Amino acid sequence: MAEILKGKDVIASMKERMLKQVEELQSHGVTPCLAIVRLGAKADDLAYEKGAVKRCEGLGIKCVVMEYDESISQKELEDEIRKLNEDTGIHGILVFRPLPKHIDENAIKYVISPDKDVDCFSPVNVAKVFEGDDNGFAPCTPEAVMEMLEHYGVDVSGKRVVVIGRSLVVGKPLSMLLLRKNATVTICHTKTRDLGGTARTADILIAAAGKARMITKEFVSPGQIVIDVGINMDKDGNLCGDVDYDNVEKTVAMITPVPGGVGTVTTSILAKHVLAAAWRLSGVMGS
Amino acid sequence: MAEILKGKDVIASMKERMLKQVEELQSHGVTPCLAIVRLGAKADDLAYEKGAVKRCEGLGIKCVVMEYDESISQKELEDEIRKLNEDTGIHGILVFRPLPKHIDENAIKYVISPDKDVDCFSPVNVAKVFEGDDNGFAPCTPEAVMEMLEHYGVDVSGKRVVVIGRSLVVGKPLSMLLLRKNATVTICHTKTRDLGGTARTADILIAAAGKARMITKEFVSPGQIVIDVGINMDKDGNLCGDVDYDNVEKTVAMITPVPGGVGTVTTSILAKHVLAAAWRLSGVMGS
């Protein structure tokens, strides 16, 4: 029986720290504020937004939802983001992606202020993650993985970590965050030969492939720590991870569940980023 | 006896292609031009400059060396780089790093135009390398490795590649370039446990640790391809790589020498980048 690494304990511990920070910011007259930029009303966006607003407001972080028609022009959207950049009452900006096809996302990413870019959209923050510069904002999901590992006392230094998935949202930035903490990182993907054999050599196995229950017991070995970043729907419409949990958890030492694992921590990371931005932008020195 | 992957054959083949490109640019009235920004006169910088100028001029690429006193102020240097950004006769800018301590390199990197940044100094290009966007400029050394592999018909797709070294100049960007070509990449470093064991599992082993002759026969296995990115001086003052060549070459299938290997190809990559910049900036469509 593996130890189950639940998200809720991580969230509770982060909440305790963040409530104090919000209190201190407020004592300096600063109310941390996140602007959420949403085009149209996609179900996925609305679901994430609901969770993010709830998490932030529960901490005393104000949320402003900027909803635009999906048909907004490139120029209008850029102008709106520039207004948010300049608004001193706003500390963080989250832009839901992907943007509609008529919008040049590649141009938008240069518009958002790197100082308010709490979800690593700007190339400035992308470069910082790659460079190992902690002054930027990493994407929320990979940072949630790091937060979970730290919370549960897993020191990655010198460990063999196998990351399955090379997306720009999870696999690649997570590899950089792990490298920054001195892990030996192997990045695997659809073209990897003998994926199972490689996965079994890992001390820590991270599944971020986006493929329901692909990690079966043939991919794991005793003593491993398995982190499941996948959020998929199986053919019966049930939420599940990239890991075939029931099949795997008997073998490994630690495992994150889905739901209730990494995914639940991401909005706490978002809140953490808004607070970090508020500290820096308001010039209040944190304790 | 391993096949020796020499730089000179790669250079010759690149030269043939590039001479045609220069000819075509010139037929459109464009003389490709590289500006080299050097502060002071460090021996390393001068040696690289000499090689770069020779390589470029041998191809018909003009070089302008901008030498400044080491005591130049931040503002003056920024102004000089801005002038080069605006000069339509200049297509590529190479700034020798590290810059003197009184200069804020972190600020300078945002000044150089990403379109002329032929050695991946700008965060815009750093982010593109990380994102796998081929429209940017990767650092010259990792791209030289990719060029060598391609020249010698080594397809990295699906292969296990172990990169020893995680610098921002070689290890990290090279890992991204390899990943882009579908290699399964493991990034190792000083904190990696059982480095030898990991290295021996590689199909392709890349030494970019900057430690003279550290890769001995205990790190390699038969059939491997070994790429040596190291350029070191041994205790007798001889140039050598990270690989203990004589000790290793009996075991492996292919190996790059030092000198005469990867290092010799970097200035050809620099020239290639200047040409790419000249195509784009002049609006001439390449054949």
Side-chain angles (χ1 to χ4, degrees), chain B residues 246-265:
Chain B
D246 296 334
N247 186 278
V248 157
E249 68 90 30
K250 289 171 204 83
T251 305
V252 303
M254 295 177 164
I255 188 166
T256 64
V258 176
V262 173
T264 60
V265 179

Side-chain angles (χ1 to χ4, degrees), chain A residues 3-205:
Chain A
E3 180 185 349
I4 300 168
L5 310 183
K6 289 188 179 157
K8 67 176 182 184
D9 298 339
V10 184
I11 295 165
S13 155
M14 289 182 75
K15 182 170 185 172
E16 207 176 317
R17 293 197 300 276
M18 290 197 279
L19 281 173
K20 282 182 202 146
Q21 293 174 336
V22 171
E23 204 177 313
E24 194 167 339
L25 278 166
Q26 277 172 333
S27 76
H28 288 86
V30 178
T31 299
C33 178
L34 169 68
I36 297 176
V37 175
R38 173 165 49 78
L39 275 58
K42 271 182 283 187
D44 280 359
D45 292 354
L46 290 172
Y48 188 82
E49 180 182 297
K50 194 178 158 190
V53 170
K54 195 178 159 194
R55 182 67 41 86
C56 285
E57 290 185 344
L59 292 161
I61 297 169
K62 199 176 137 191
C63 290
V64 183
V65 176
M66 310 292 288
E67 182 177 349
Y68 302 100
D69 198 278
E70 256 192 305
S71 66
I72 189 171
S73 75
Q74 180 83 24
K75 188 181 175 307
E76 280 171 305
L77 182 58
E78 291 187 9
D79 286 346
E80 288 296 310
I81 293 175
R82 278 197 196 92
K83 272 187 225 162
L84 297 172
N85 286 346
E86 281 155 28
D87 186 335
T88 55
I90 283 168
H91 308 102
I93 304 171
L94 171 71
V95 180
F96 277 115
R97 290 170 278 168
L99 292 162
K101 279 183 186 156
H102 72 280
I103 299 285
D104 178 3
E105 200 167 296
N106 236 338
I108 300 287
K109 71 185 181 187
Y110 289 100
V111 175
I112 187 169
S113 163
D115 299 331
K116 297 189 177 185
D117 172 37
V118 287
D119 196 31
C120 200
F121 188 10
S122 160
V124 171
N125 284 313
V126 173
K128 284 184 175 176
V129 171
F130 186 48
E131 290 169 349
D133 180 340
D134 299 330
N135 284 314
F137 294 110
C140 293
T141 303
E143 200 174 320
V145 172
M146 299 306 289
E147 190 82 37
M148 284 199 89
L149 290 168
E150 201 184 321
H151 179 86
Y152 287 105
V154 179
D155 180 8
V156 303
S157 179
K159 300 267 170 65
R160 282 180 71 86
V161 183
V162 171
V163 177
I164 302 180
R166 55 175 159 174
S167 76
L168 203 57
V169 189
V170 185
K172 281 190 195 178
L174 180 53
S175 299
M176 292 303 118
L177 298 179
L178 288 161
L179 206 54
R180 173 97 178 119
K181 296 285 184 189
N182 297 321
T184 299
V185 182
T186 299
I187 311 173
C188 297
H189 43 79
T190 46
K191 295 288 192 297
T192 294
R193 290 180 202 155
D194 187 22
L195 182 59
T198 304
R200 282 195 303 274
T201 67
D203 297 313
I204 302 169
L205 177 63

